Amino acid sequence: MRILMIRHGDPDYERDTLTEKGHREAALLAELAPGLGLGDCYQSPLGRAQATAAYCLEKLGKEAVTLEWLREFPAKVDINGSEILQGAYTDTKREGEHFGTRIAWDMVPSYWAEQAVYADREGWRHSEAARCSDLVSVYDSVATGLDKLLEQYGYVKEGHHYRVVKENTGTVTFFCHFGITCVLLSHLWDVSPFLLWHTLALAPTSVTEVVTEERQQGIAIFRALRLGDISHLYAGGEEPSFSARFCETYGNRGQRH
């Protein structure tokens, strides 16, 4: 079985759609769509993902099923009751006397990199960030959605691998987002999502491909063939978007800090 995870194009987050650049990126991706073998298509309910998918779907005359759990990972952390987390989310805005909520994974590296719990396969569930957020429940909801879908294709989660009920060489494609892609990969690979959130940067319209490997009959794992492929942008002469990245050097004030 093969899974493609395609991130939306350069985003206009305020209006939940694509920028002009994002539309160019999505159009370039669609030019290669006939060769991608998209198979069954699923999409996030958010506008920027659906606008990206529309280019490929129109090109191929296909439709996509919208899945609620494919939306950008919505878990939020409340740092008001934790001095530790107030140091981990250093630029959180105040709303009156209190801090606003924050995307759970968006913490500074001086904190997460020095706390082994965030790299642990199970330990992150008992971290300070998990204690002060809905991180675990939202993660488990996504994981359940993914596993129920994979069961329809013949793969049932058992422990840390998948039991093959029926061999399947088909493809499913998810048009979604960076944060949720990291969650999906972390569940497939049984690793902490924090490792992927903080070590991957999947550019807009990038293609990530994983396939099953069944070295023992009836037991499958998922392995990556490509992560964040943006060859379609290079082929079309389109500079990759900086979205999902932070500044390469701190002194470069033109890049996101």
Side-chain angles (χ1 to χ4, degrees):
M1 184 179 181
R2 176 174 175 257
I3 301 175
L4 297 179
M5 303 173 196
I6 300 176
R7 189 186 173 196
H8 58 74
D10 188 59
D12 177 344
Y13 287 119
E14 185 175 347
R15 290 179 285 189
D16 187 27
T17 186
L18 301 179
T19 63
E20 290 185 10
K21 175 175 175 53
H23 283 288
R24 293 197 303 271
E25 293 171 343
L28 287 172
L29 175 66
E31 289 301 311
L32 296 184
L36 288 176
L38 298 182
D40 295 338
C41 295
Y42 301 90
Q43 62 185 355
S44 159
L46 299 183
R48 54 193 184 271
Q50 295 199 4
T52 302
Y55 282 88
C56 288
L57 298 175
E58 182 178 2
K59 184 79 171 180
L60 300 174
K62 298 173 69 70
E63 295 184 353
V65 176
T66 299
L67 298 175
E68 178 62 26
W69 51 266
L70 278 180
R71 69 168 50 246
E72 182 56 298
F73 192 65
K76 296 291 180 66
V77 62
D78 181 352
I79 69 174
N80 286 287
S82 173
E83 291 187 7
I84 294 174
L85 292 184
Q86 289 170 26
Y89 299 88
T90 55
D91 58 348
T92 303
K93 295 180 180 178
R94 284 186 175 273
E95 298 177 355
E97 298 181 356
H98 303 283
F99 290 103
T101 56
R102 189 69 177 275
I103 295 173
W105 62 269
D106 194 15
M107 58 179 62
V108 294
S110 60
Y111 175 70
W112 69 262
E114 301 303 325
Q115 304 294 320
V117 67
Y118 290 101
D120 187 87
R121 182 167 72 182
E122 295 294 334
W124 67 270
R125 293 174 171 271
H126 310 288
S127 65
E128 184 72 353
R131 184 183 73 82
C132 297
S133 72
D134 56 353
L135 174 60
V136 173
S137 62
V138 176
Y139 181 98
D140 287 345
S141 177
V142 172
T144 297
L146 175 62
D147 285 341
K148 285 183 177 180
L149 182 67
L150 293 181
E151 284 184 20
Q152 298 177 27
Y153 292 91
Y155 294 84
V156 177
K157 184 77 168 181
E158 280 190 351
H160 300 295
H161 66 272
Y162 285 84
R163 175 167 54 87
V164 182
V165 177
K166 182 179 180 180
E167 293 183 0
N168 192 325
T169 58
T171 297
V172 297
T173 296
F174 299 142
F175 290 93
C176 53
H177 312 265
F178 167 71
I180 194 66
T181 294
C182 290
V183 168
L184 299 177
L185 291 173
S186 76
H187 182 62
L188 291 174
W189 295 340
D190 273 311
V191 301
S192 166
F194 283 92
L195 285 176
L196 304 183
W197 283 327
H198 291 283
T199 57
L200 293 181
L202 306 175
T205 65
S206 63
V207 179
T208 293
E209 178 181 8
V210 296
V211 295
T212 51
E213 183 174 86
E214 192 181 349
R215 295 181 63 186
Q216 296 171 278
Q217 187 173 16
I219 297 176
I221 62 169
F222 285 86
R223 297 189 69 180
L225 297 187
R226 50 179 162 171
L227 293 172
D229 179 17
I230 49 174
S231 56
H232 57 284
L233 298 183
Y234 293 122
E238 183 72 30
E239 185 73 17
S241 170
F242 200 79
S243 181
R245 295 181 58 190
F246 288 91
C247 52
E248 186 171 347
T249 59
Y250 195 79
N252 188 340
R253 305 307 300 186
Q255 294 177 342
R256 184 164 66 125
H257 280 64

